[in-house]
Amino acid sequence: MCDLCKPPPQESTKSCMDCSASYCNECFKIHHPWGTIKAQHEYVGPTTNFRPKILMCPEHETERINMYCELCRRPVCHLCKLGGNHANHRVTTMSSAYKTLKEKLSKDIDYLIGKESQVKSQISELNLLMKETECNGERAKEEAITHFEKLFEILEERKSSVLKAIDSSKKLRLDKFQTQMEEYQGLLENNGLVGYAQEVLKETDQSCFVQTAKQLHLRIQKATESLKSFRPAAQTSFEDYVVNTSKQTELLGELSFFSSGIDVPEINEEQSKVYNNALINWHHPEKDKADSYVLEYRKINREDEMSWNEIEVCGTSKIIQDLENSSTYAFRVRAYKGSICSPCSRELILHTPPAPVFSFLFDEKCGYNNEHLLLNLKRDRVESRAGFNLLLAAERIQVGYYTSLDYIIGDTGITKGKHFWAFRVEPYSYLVKVGVASSDKLQEWLRSPRDAVSPRYEQDSGHDSGSEDACFDSSQPFTLVTIGMKKFFIPKSPTSSNEPENRVLPMPTSIGIFLDYDKGKVSFYDMDHMKCLYERQVDCSHTLYPAFALMGSGGIQLEEPITAKYLEYQEDM
């Protein structure tokens, strides 16, 4: 019937292959008017089969497919062959490809038809295997329940024994306290020993009094001594009866299938880290026995219990992307061998940076002193070699002089938003300053470097010049902290203790800097624990740059972003 007629529909006379619809004569004329593009549509007799007879090239939409690429095994048009993706590929005519593929498909169908009895036999075998799996699974559940019930029985037995021991000890102690209390009650007037002694004192017969008083005097002396040195007859504490279940809890936490034969993987905490992404590395003692691994991770939320995300991994390391900033994540991994899996590894807890990672390299043009600083080709590592020239000229030095800092900055500035970057200071470094500085302050430093590093110039120079206290509360256009001799030095502050032992921390393996440009605040982090060591306000009225300065021997290495290339490099190492 016609698809476009108003009810009741008329019987169709033709079908349009381009519109995939059937029409009566009147409707066809209305929807395919003469002189329009639709008038050129291909039409056939009434049909419900609208499979297109002519395929168009997906890359060249106006071209019909007329060839077959043997390399890619797909139909193509002549433009694909002339200058497209199939220019150097071997192609054949569509008729030849049609004939070849039809013969191959016919042979495959004939083969399957000939193997029908074999297919039915295998279907029957699969049905039996499914039933067997169902039975074995139920039997395994029953055996597991039996083992757990045995554990429950042992626990109940031990619970009963422990509670019985506690009750016995409690009864014994209460009896001792009761006896001691009765003895002391006897010391009260008109009661017990004192009452008996008072009656004895009334005895007028001297011989009877002496005979009774001797024993009574000994009892009173003993009671008097007991009164002078009061000691409870028993202890009230039950510290010796606290049940230690730590070892058993750990063993129960590692409870697994005896027959699995797959060791538990161990996450390598030293090689696992978080920066722009998370890199999780693990070790498996039976590496060759595992077919694959499943890495699980989830965000730790105090309010809600987050579900675990799972990723199947073939190797022993994986990069996790799109983690939320300023969050804590837990990671664990388990191994698979066929359908059998190992228990999960111990969880690794990692903290993500407080802001997106800011990528930059050292600037080799702005203020870079190539006589004192050595920059590698990748521009992500700088070393100070100022001491070498000094040693070469040492025979001419008779008096001391003040050595200046050599500055180097990042090649990208910051004008808005939150940013985080990290780096490593070499342990042998004598004096390194790291932080941020505004563009105008950098120009001032680089124009007169010796004046700029005067001990009276910087707020955090470490000298009691008197000028430091004046700028504690004011926002300045730079903030630098000092690192050297494997120590991290906290700048002086009026709100905290300025004693040396409180201002000197061990140097972290990797140091992070968090700049909140909009709030005008810069913070310094210990990357190993993602812990803030120091923060203060900074003037953000100009463009801020990552700033570094070195004096004497030293080296700084920027942290490399974690990417697929980083993972390949780690595996090569």
Side-chain angles (χ1 to χ4, degrees), residues 362-391:
F362 288 120
D363 195 333
E364 60 183 347
K365 298 177 182 178
C366 182
Y368 170 62
N369 187 344
N370 58 8
E371 292 183 0
H372 293 172
L373 299 179
L374 179 63
L375 192 61
N376 68 348
L377 294 176
K378 293 174 65 177
R379 293 196 291 125
D380 63 351
R381 178 181 177 83
V382 64
E383 294 182 5
S384 172
R385 53 181 183 180
F388 187 70
N389 292 335
L390 187 63
L391 290 173

Side-chain angles (χ1 to χ4, degrees), residues 62 81 93 99 105 110 219 286 404 452 467 476 492 552:
T62 59
K81 175 60 180 172
T93 61
K99 183 179 179 181
L105 186 59
D110 291 340
R219 289 176 63 188
E286 301 294 334
S404 66
S467 63
Q476 57 190 16
K492 290 184 177 180

Side-chain angles (χ1 to χ4, degrees), residues 133-153:
T133 302
E134 185 76 25
C135 294
N136 290 341
E138 291 300 320
R139 189 181 300 115
K141 282 174 63 177
E142 291 174 1
E143 291 177 358
I145 291 171
T146 302
H147 286 298
F148 277 104
E149 285 177 347
K150 287 182 180 178
L151 288 176
F152 296 153
E153 290 175 5

Side-chain angles (χ1 to χ4, degrees), residues 262-278:
I262 305 178
D263 291 337
V264 181
E266 298 176 5
I267 294 182
N268 191 323
E269 296 187 14
E270 294 182 358
Q271 295 183 9
S272 299
K273 58 185 291 188
V274 165
Y275 192 35
N276 59 319
N277 296 314

Side-chain angles (χ1 to χ4, degrees), residues 472-486:
F472 272 132
D473 299 326
S474 60
S475 182
Q476 57 190 16
F478 70 94
T479 293
L480 298 172
V481 298
T482 303
I483 301 167
M485 300 178 69
K486 299 182 181 180

Side-chain angles (χ1 to χ4, degrees), residues 58-69:
E59 296 180 10
H60 308 95
E61 296 180 357
T62 59
E63 298 296 327
R64 294 182 176 183
I65 286 173
N66 53 12
M67 288 182 283
Y68 184 80
C69 178

Side-chain angles (χ1 to χ4, degrees), residues 373 405-408 431-434 480 547-551 556:
L373 299 179
L405 287 165
D406 292 302
Y407 283 88
I408 188 167
L431 192 155
V432 173
K433 284 180 175 285
V434 298
L480 298 172
F548 306 85
L550 299 93
M551 178 187 291
I556 302 173

